[in-house]
Amino acid sequence: MRLKLVPETTNIDFFGYAKATFGASVIAVILSLVAWLMLGLNFGIDFRGGTTIRTESVQAVDIGAYREAIDPLGLGDVTITEVFDPTFGPEKNVAMIRIQAQDDQESVAADTIAKVEETLQQVDPSITFPSVESVGPKVSGELIQTALIAVGASLAAILFYIWLRFEWQFSVGAVAALFHDVILTIGVFSVLQIRFDLATIAALLTIIGYSINDTVVIFDRLRENLIKYRKRDLREVMNLSVNETLSRTLMTSGTTLLALIALLVLGGDVIRGFVFAITWGVIVGTYSSVYVAKNVVLYLGVNREDKPTDKGNQFANIDA
């Protein structure tokens, strides 16, 4: 027996309210941009600068106790992570403490570092501080810019491939869906003031990959059906294509969300922002694959006169 989240055959009219769903998406993007401009983002250490303190101790690292001791100092964004290395002996327990810059300075003042060290020594008298390093936002900005250029070039190549593989209307729809997903995610981070750091950038890139994959799967079935049903109205063919891939879409998104929700609840504070971004991205990415990318194709129309007369290709036979 196979698990089925939807009936074998569905006939949901996804595009019955195309104008309303597309209009809602446009309004959501505009509101997200307004929130971004008005409220800004709660940048983490990667963007604001700060100081990294490396600790070593004989006792096991207790991240909860470290955080409980540092929080009363009111230092803002503090990230504490334990460092694991197979070369470390049982008496060498290492942690990295990252503290955001205070008063718009690139690094934390020496007296603040001294207070942190003194506070941690009260928690663990054996603790030592072998290194203290400053993290400047300028260096992080250059790394982010280089990464975005590289990913942007890859994304442009993917979109160019979609243009060649399908038609230019499909490529425009895919770009609109990706733009929708990224802007809505940034908008949520702005409204909720969730910490925005390099991990969030990685989450945004993951969202782009997930969304484009889901979009291409439905595009491929749509192209096959445009050849099969040359006499049908474009809206009907698009509804048919989404219904045929609905089981696959819900199964993929559902199982992904199960893992993400578990990480969101049990993963701890260090990865919560990253996991939240991907969780939100999976939801809006699934939505945009139908109600943004396909709506754009519906409005732009597709030239069906030059379609071949065969029944499709082996790549379009998706087991939905």
Side-chain angles (χ1 to χ4, degrees), residues 5 21 60 137 140 171 205 210 225 232 241 245 253 287 294 300 320:
L5 298 181
T21 54
S140 297
S171 185
L205 300 178
Y210 183 92
N225 285 335
R232 282 197 185 186
S241 302
T245 56
S253 300
Y287 170 88
K294 308 308 176 293
L300 293 176

Side-chain angles (χ1 to χ4, degrees), residues 26-275:
V26 172
I27 292 173
V29 169
I30 293 174
L31 291 177
S32 297
L33 290 172
V34 171
W36 184 9
L37 295 174
M38 297 291 291
L39 303 177
L41 292 170
N42 179 21
F43 290 114
I45 296 173
D46 299 316
F47 299 100
R48 298 180 60 178
T51 295
T52 301
I53 303 174
R54 179 185 175 96
T55 71
E56 291 186 10
S57 63
V58 176
Q59 299 180 19
V61 174
D62 188 341
I63 294 179
Y66 286 10
R67 187 176 298 281
E68 185 177 351
I70 294 175
D71 281 347
L73 299 179
L75 301 178
D77 182 17
V78 177
T79 303
I80 305 173
T81 55
E82 185 174 0
V83 178
F84 296 96
D85 192 312
T87 63
F88 291 167
E91 74 290 344
K92 189 174 182 180
N93 300 283
V94 180
M96 301 295 289
I97 302 174
R98 305 180 71 186
I99 307 170
Q100 73 175 32
Q102 312 294 307
D103 300 326
D104 297 326
Q105 297 180 1
E106 288 201 359
S107 60
V108 178
D111 58 340
T112 303
I113 296 175
K115 288 181 183 179
V116 173
E117 293 178 351
E118 181 181 351
T119 301
L120 291 176
Q121 285 175 339
Q122 294 176 2
V123 176
D124 182 1
S126 68
I127 197 169
T128 59
F129 309 95
S131 67
V132 178
E133 300 177 351
S134 295
V135 180
K138 182 178 180 180
V139 175
S140 297
E142 291 175 351
L143 291 175
I144 294 171
Q145 184 179 9
T146 303
L148 289 178
I149 291 174
V151 174
S154 301
L155 185 59
I158 292 172
L159 295 176
F160 182 68
Y161 168 79
I162 294 174
W163 190 339
L164 295 179
R165 183 76 175 179
F166 302 100
E167 294 184 19
W168 68 268
Q169 295 94 331
F170 290 76
S171 185
V172 173
V175 172
L178 295 180
F179 181 80
H180 169 275
D181 299 342
V182 171
I183 296 301
L184 257 62
T185 303
I186 293 176
V188 168
F189 268 71
S190 179
V191 171
L192 301 180
Q193 287 295 292
I194 302 173
R195 187 173 65 240
F196 193 92
D197 50 21
L198 285 176
T200 310
I201 295 293
L204 290 176
L205 300 178
T206 304
I207 292 169
I208 289 173
Y210 183 92
S211 180
I212 196 67
N213 175 73
D214 197 34
T215 300
V216 167
V217 167
I218 306 178
F219 274 167
D220 213 13
R221 179 57 61 92
L222 173 59
R223 182 180 58 174
E224 178 188 5
N225 285 335
L226 286 173
I227 298 172
K228 283 184 178 179
Y229 308 104
R230 301 173 64 90
K231 301 298 183 181
R232 282 197 185 186
D233 181 71
L234 178 59
R235 184 190 299 269
E236 294 181 10
V237 177
M238 294 183 72
N239 264 320
L240 175 64
S241 302
V242 177
N243 277 284
E244 287 180 346
T245 56
L246 183 60
S247 177
R248 177 264 174 204
T249 298
L250 292 180
M251 185 71 74
T252 303
S253 300
T255 53
T256 305
L257 286 173
L258 285 176
L260 290 172
I261 291 173
L263 286 173
L264 194 62
V265 175
L266 305 174
D269 182 68
V270 175
I271 64 171
R272 184 160 290 127
F274 172 79
V275 176

